[in-house]
Amino acid sequence: MENVQGNPLQTSKPAGFEGRSPFLIWVIWVVWLPLMLPGILQLFQHGYPAAHNIEVGVGLVLFFSIYLWASWLRANHLVAGDPPSKRTEQRTWVTVVVLTAISFVLSFLAGGQWLQLMYYTSGFVGGSLTLRRAILVALGFSLLIITFGWLLGLDWLTNLQSLVFVTAIVFITRSVVWSITTSWELRAAREEIARLAVMTERLRIARDLHDLLGHNLSLIALKSELAGRLIAIAPERALSEIGDVEQVARTTLQEVREAVSNYRQPTLISELHAAQEILFAAGIAYRYEGEEGVLDSLPSSVEILLSWAVREGVTNVIRHSRADWCSVHIKRQGDSVSVVVIDDGVALPGSSPATGTSTTGKPGSGNGLRGLAERVEALKGTFEAGPNLGGGYQLAVSVPVGSLPKTEQKLESLP
């Protein structure tokens, strides 16, 4: 696990904000710009008067300046994850009204073709308002388009085309923004789950150490105090108390060593159960495939290594992969046993396709995988980590264990 240190009072972005880019959101509004190219080309192809072209040009510059600037502010607002405020809502409505007014003014002055500017206003509405409000505004736009089309003498096919495009753009933009922001929220939730799991483990360790040390340290303190008072009046009894202190201290030291050893040496079955629980909490489907005889016959050093492999693999799935499912395979191949953790998410930064075997690994830039690769190398095993050729990410560890009993039975007690 990576150790992150810093000032607890320092303000930083919440979990899940890394990797967010306002350009990813902004492109949702920018992508509609080519729809106006035919209308702009007509200004130069049909020989309109210069006054007409200047009039339309000024209106277009004003319209798209407001549109691009307002959509850029909206993209930054979504990326920052700021809660909606009254000021932001007012600014959104003012922008919608201004863009709508410019669209219809240009349509009156320069021709009904400029009602196409409503496509962009609809896109801004879809990405800035809630679904209910966006639907109501889209209905309002439809009524306005029908009214203005009738006043401008546009044919019914042109009006129908405008209505379809306005409605479709509202829903498309709303859906894309919802999909991206929901993905961000899910990623933040997964990172929060991983952080809470670490905090829970720390609290458990603290509670165990308190229960383990509290009584014995209190006893040592009392007997030491008593021995100090007895030195002058009863030296023999003081020596007896000091002997008791020594014995309690040695016992406590042994218990602490055993507790720490248990923390640092997880069992494979407990890690598999823990993997199921944390993946379920993160909303990631979990599947296990293994052989009962292999798990029952593993040497201690091999079981510890495979347990670390499961823990590290599942931790990386939770923290980095954005996966929908994760599969853990434990199988015997000849005189070796292997653990394979596969997901359908994205690869770790800096990783390369996992082809062939390696004892040194170089699995991306994570200290956890690097340490795991060193453990595998110490046991003369093989290590693979990287993207699958068919998509997703794979962590595979295989170590020699000697002769194991063969069995085709599936592990019933595991998830």
Side-chain angles (χ1 to χ4, degrees):
M1 298 295 291
E2 298 180 3
N3 184 21
V4 181
Q5 299 179 347
N7 184 1
L9 299 180
Q10 183 178 2
T11 302
S12 60
K13 288 186 176 182
F17 275 71
E18 292 184 4
R20 292 190 181 187
S21 171
F23 292 99
L24 177 62
I25 291 287
W26 196 39
V27 74
I28 298 172
W29 290 286
V30 175
V31 72
W32 306 109
L33 293 180
L35 293 178
M36 285 306 301
L37 289 178
I40 295 175
L41 291 176
Q42 287 183 6
L43 294 177
F44 305 96
Q45 294 176 349
H46 288 73
Y48 291 114
H52 175 275
N53 291 345
I54 293 175
E55 180 182 83
V56 174
V58 171
L60 290 177
V61 170
L62 179 61
F63 179 90
F64 285 109
S65 296
I66 297 174
Y67 171 78
L68 292 175
W69 176 246
S71 59
W72 174 252
L73 292 179
R74 178 58 180 166
N76 281 274
H77 175 78
L78 291 173
V79 168
D82 298 329
S85 63
K86 186 176 181 180
R87 180 181 178 183
T88 302
E89 185 176 351
Q90 291 175 346
R91 185 174 61 192
T92 299
W93 284 112
V94 169
T95 303
V96 172
V97 171
V98 171
L99 293 178
T100 304
I102 295 176
S103 301
F104 285 108
V105 168
L106 277 179
S107 299
F108 265 126
L109 298 179
Q113 65 181 9
W114 299 110
L115 277 177
Q116 293 178 359
L117 292 175
M118 291 300 297
Y119 300 164
Y120 303 94
T121 308
S122 300
F124 181 77
V125 166
S128 302
L129 301 179
T130 62
L131 178 60
R132 179 175 177 272
R133 292 182 176 180
I135 292 175
L136 293 176
V137 172
L139 292 175
F141 284 169
S142 299
L143 294 176
L144 287 175
I145 289 174
I146 293 174
T147 303
F148 273 76
W150 176 73
L151 293 175
L152 296 173
L154 300 179
D155 60 272
W156 68 270
L157 185 59
T158 302
N159 286 337
L160 179 61
Q161 174 182 323
S162 299
L163 291 176
V164 171
F165 269 87
V166 164
T167 305
I169 290 174
V170 167
F171 282 98
I172 290 173
T173 309
R174 178 70 252 169
S175 299
V176 174
V177 170
W178 177 84
S179 177
I180 294 176
T181 54
T182 300
S183 174
W184 285 345
E185 291 172 358
L186 179 59
R187 178 184 177 188
R190 289 178 175 177
E191 293 182 359
E192 182 67 11
I193 290 171
R195 186 184 68 83
L196 291 176
V198 172
M199 290 181 60
T200 301
E201 183 68 10
R202 288 176 178 174
L203 289 175
R204 185 180 72 86
I205 293 174
R207 183 176 61 252
D208 291 348
L209 290 179
H210 176 270
D211 296 340
L212 180 66
L213 299 177
H215 173 75
N216 289 348
L217 291 179
S218 297
L219 183 60
I220 290 173
L222 290 174
K223 285 186 171 292
S224 298
E225 183 181 355
L226 179 59
R229 292 200 303 264
L230 293 175
I231 287 178
I233 58 177
E236 293 182 358
R237 185 178 174 187
L239 289 175
S240 176
E241 296 295 338
I242 291 175
D244 291 343
V245 169
E246 180 183 1
Q247 181 62 35
V248 173
R250 291 183 182 277
T251 302
T252 303
L253 179 60
Q254 180 62 29
E255 292 176 350
V256 170
R257 286 174 175 171
E258 292 176 358
V260 172
S261 177
N262 290 333
Y263 292 141
R264 298 182 62 186
Q265 298 180 1
T267 64
L268 187 52
I269 292 180
S270 66
E271 287 302 321
L272 290 171
H273 282 290
Q276 181 193 26
E277 293 177 0
I278 192 171
L279 289 171
F280 176 79
I284 301 175
Y286 170 77
R287 182 171 68 252
Y288 169 79
E289 297 181 7
E291 299 177 356
E292 182 178 6
V294 173
L295 294 181
D296 292 341
S297 308
L298 292 177
S300 177
S301 58
V302 174
E303 181 178 9
I304 292 171
L305 175 60
L306 298 183
S307 300
W308 281 115
V310 172
R311 177 181 295 186
E312 183 64 30
V314 172
T315 299
N316 287 332
V317 171
I318 296 291
R319 296 181 59 189
H320 304 295
S321 71
R322 309 176 197 172
D324 293 322
W325 59 264
C326 174
S327 178
V328 179
H329 303 262
I330 299 178
K331 56 185 177 180
R332 175 193 171 186
Q333 293 177 322
D335 292 337
S336 65
V337 64
S338 63
V339 165
V340 182
V341 181
I342 305 174
D343 63 71
D344 65 338
V346 298
L348 292 174
S351 60
S352 56
T355 56
T357 59
S358 171
T359 56
T360 57
K362 297 181 181 181
S365 59
N367 292 328
L369 289 180
R370 188 178 298 112
L372 180 61
E374 293 172 355
R375 291 171 181 262
V376 174
E377 183 179 11
L379 292 184
K380 310 298 183 183
T382 59
F383 179 96
E384 298 178 8
N388 283 322
L389 297 179
Y393 189 83
Q394 172 180 298
L395 170 64
V397 170
S398 179
V399 289
V401 294
S403 178
L404 288 177
K406 296 183 179 181
T407 178
E408 299 299 331
Q409 297 177 349
K410 297 297 180 182
L411 189 60
E412 299 289 343
S413 61
L414 284 176

